[in-house]
Amino acid sequence: MALFTRKSSAAPTTVAEAPSVDPALAALTGAYTIDPAHSSIGFTVRHAMVTNVRGSFGEHEGTLTLDGTDPANSSAAIDVKIGSIDTGIADRDGHLVSGDFFDAEQFPLMTFRSTRAEQLGGDAYRITGDLTIKDVTRPLSIDLEFNGSATDVYGNERVGFEGSADILRSDWGLTWNAALETGGVMVSDKVKLTFDISAIKAAAPQE
């Protein structure tokens, strides 16, 4: 099921017709809060040229504004606490939050603020915005798949998305590295970011 309506494949007529809107999709329009207990923001980076290190950020919060008829009216805002990074090794996590990498003491948050949303086809979407790490802000596009909507056992209306984006960490000033005796470097410049988002719809205001 697509979150946003698609153009009709019917032959054009001489009179302009408004596109039909699926009431179930239109009902998804509204403000949502990301549920951190059922969402994850992670990353994968090549280590020592031969294997991958995977990690995640355990503390994050954000909001989505969805438009069930026009993706251009949708938006997202996410704040990630750098100090919550977890790669499974405490010493490595300590190095990542230090001044060599994120400098979490001075720059405690990584943020994303969307500037554009579009449908790529079917349930595939792309959201573009400004990613800020440390004191550097650069554009980032995230390809997402809409996983659907449901009402959970507590009566919350939920939507789900998952997606990813590749970045070069050096573009955000994360340049620390170490040369290997056999050639190459300890940490690759390319990093894959991953997103698995569950968001809860805000209750309609009482009149």
Side-chain angles (χ1 to χ4, degrees), residues 1-202:
M1 180 179 73
L3 174 60
F4 303 109
T5 57
R6 306 182 179 95
K7 293 182 179 178
S8 172
S9 59
T13 64
T14 56
V15 178
E17 297 179 353
S20 61
V21 177
D22 184 336
L25 298 178
L28 297 179
T29 297
Y32 293 75
T33 300
I34 294 175
D35 177 8
H38 297 92
S39 303
S40 64
I41 298 176
F43 60 89
T44 304
V45 61
R46 183 75 73 179
H47 178 261
M49 308 297 290
V50 297
T51 190
N52 289 319
V53 168
R54 292 176 174 84
S56 62
F57 296 93
E59 297 182 39
H60 50 82
E61 60 184 18
T63 58
L64 307 176
T65 301
L66 303 183
D67 190 319
T69 61
D70 185 357
N73 293 330
S74 298
S75 62
I78 302 174
D79 294 338
V80 178
K81 186 176 179 181
I82 295 297
S84 69
I85 196 168
D86 181 8
T87 65
I89 297 178
D91 287 346
R92 180 165 58 204
D93 296 342
H95 190 199
L96 288 170
V97 300
S98 74
D100 283 345
F101 283 95
F102 287 106
D103 194 0
E105 183 174 350
Q106 184 174 357
F107 305 102
L109 294 179
M110 173 173 61
T111 66
F112 177 80
R113 298 291 183 269
S114 69
T115 57
R116 182 184 179 190
E118 57 187 315
Q119 183 180 10
L120 303 180
D123 291 329
Y125 297 86
R126 176 173 294 151
I127 189 163
T128 300
D130 295 325
L131 176 67
T132 300
I133 302 175
K134 299 176 75 171
D135 55 351
V136 179
T137 300
R138 295 180 61 90
L140 174 69
S141 292
I142 305 170
D143 288 340
L144 296 166
E145 180 178 356
F146 175 55
N147 288 337
S149 62
T151 301
D152 66 22
V153 295
Y154 302 105
N156 298 312
E157 296 182 57
R158 290 180 178 267
V159 293
F161 295 88
E162 61 180 316
S164 63
D166 291 332
I167 67 170
L168 298 179
R169 61 187 179 91
S170 59
D171 287 344
W172 280 268
L174 303 177
T175 57
W176 182 92
N177 229 320
L180 302 175
E181 292 184 3
T182 54
V185 292
M186 180 69 72
V187 185
S188 69
D189 192 19
K190 182 179 177 180
V191 179
K192 182 176 184 178
L193 303 176
T194 57
F195 306 86
D196 196 346
I197 301 298
S198 178
I200 299 172
K201 192 175 186 179

